Amino acid sequence: DTGVSQDPRHKITKRGQNVTFRCDPISEHNRLYWYRQTLGQGPEFLTYFQNEAQLEKSRLLSDRFSAERPKGSFSTLEIQRTEQGDSAMYLCASSLGGQGMGKNIQYFGAGTRLSVL
Amino acid sequence: AQSVTQLDSQVPVFEEAPVELRCNYSSSVSVYLFWYVQYPNQGLQLLLKYLSGSTLVESINGFEAEFNKSQTSFHLRKPSVHISDTAEYFCAVKVNQGGKLIFGQGTELSVKP
């Protein structure tokens, strides 16, 4: 098991461009989460999936943001028409869903750092 | 709605001294509690968790945290810190039936020789 994998690790883009990030969860995990972390702050929840269904979206996820998990395995997070305020670390996590103590632990990837110039 | 407050943004301490990082939460329903550690330019690593049972939980590297329901706290302690413990520490809560984690703003632990 290689853990949660995120790609790319770093992305520099110009304002107005579109960017897409990928997350590969731990293979047996059916839940996948996206968070955003700005400098000096704790991570903030964006959205999460159980299998391919998107179960919750934060108000932080504006119309320019879209996330997909088409086959219930990897997920992509796309930001359209990027703005300087989108500069942040985007973290992905995965877990087992359902009842039971072992099913509530989220494991995080190393993150994708986005810089919008 | 749930919230998490980490009372200290920065905690400087000398090596081998004890340390306590404070965390208070607010919730009207039962929660699970977590401490994560983040080293520079890395993701979050789970340090320890309270899901149920004993209110005192321990990690493999000497940290411990105690769930205090009456004070709605989950403070993190270590009796003797090492230089390698220098990192950002985040307290988080999760509503039992929910999905997302709600994080505090983090405490930067700086261990000096």
Side-chain angles (χ1 to χ4, degrees):
Chain A
D1 190 346
T2 57
V4 179
S5 177
Q6 293 189 245
D7 184 69
R9 289 293 309 277
H10 304 276
K11 179 70 178 179
I12 301 173
T13 191
K14 294 182 179 179
R15 188 177 53 180
Q17 298 295 305
N18 299 343
V19 294
T20 300
F21 310 140
R22 176 178 170 125
C23 173
D24 287 90
I26 293 171
S27 57
E28 64 268 28
H29 286 182
N30 59 343
R31 286 192 178 179
L32 186 149
Y33 310 79
W34 287 100
Y35 294 83
R36 182 173 69 185
Q37 184 181 22
T38 53
L39 202 61
Q41 302 295 317
E44 296 175 294
F45 169 78
L46 293 178
T47 188
Y48 91 95
F49 295 84
Q50 179 156 305
N51 300 312
E52 63 273 13
Q54 190 172 18
L55 295 188
E56 187 175 354
K57 292 170 59 174
S58 163
R59 288 174 297 176
L60 293 174
L61 214 65
S62 75
D63 291 346
R64 298 184 298 105
F65 287 70
S66 63
E68 295 183 342
R69 195 183 184 199
K71 297 182 179 179
S73 57
F74 73 91
S75 174
T76 58
L77 178 68
E78 181 183 16
I79 309 174
Q80 295 182 327
R81 304 180 304 280
T82 52
E83 302 173 355
Q84 287 185 329
D86 297 331
S87 295
M89 174 81 88
Y90 290 84
L91 295 166
C92 177
S94 71
S95 77
L96 291 170
Q99 299 295 323
M101 292 193 301
K103 296 184 178 180
N104 289 283
I105 302 169
Q106 295 183 24
Y107 296 90
F108 284 79
T112 294
R113 183 170 296 284
L114 173 66
S115 297
V116 182
L117 304 178
Chain B
Q2 293 74 40
S3 66
V4 178
T5 302
Q6 292 184 242
L7 297 162
D8 306 294
S9 59
Q10 294 180 321
V11 174
V13 64
F14 287 106
E15 193 174 18
E16 298 183 3
V19 71
E20 179 179 77
L21 307 185
R22 296 179 292 170
C23 172
N24 286 90
Y25 70 94
S26 173
S27 176
S28 58
V29 298
S30 296
V31 296
Y32 296 136
L33 294 155
F34 304 85
W35 276 99
Y36 282 86
V37 58
Q38 186 176 35
Y39 298 99
N41 298 314
Q42 296 187 24
L44 281 72
Q45 300 175 26
L46 180 67
L47 188 59
L48 45 74
K49 61 190 182 292
Y50 171 77
L51 303 180
S52 69
S54 173
T55 57
L56 183 65
V57 291
E58 298 176 350
S59 74
I60 58 174
N61 57 353
F63 283 94
E64 64 178 30
E66 186 160 19
F67 169 53
N68 188 320
K69 189 174 182 179
S70 63
Q71 297 186 3
T72 60
S73 68
F74 191 54
H75 301 331
L76 180 70
R77 294 187 293 261
K78 188 171 185 180
S80 177
V81 294
H82 302 289
I83 298 287
S84 60
D85 293 325
T86 295
E88 188 91 19
Y89 291 80
F90 292 97
C91 181
V93 301
K94 178 180 176 299
V95 173
N96 290 358
Q97 300 304 318
K100 64 187 177 187
L101 287 169
I102 298 168
F103 287 88
Q105 292 195 313
T107 297
E108 182 182 348
L109 175 64
S110 176
V111 182
K112 305 177 186 305

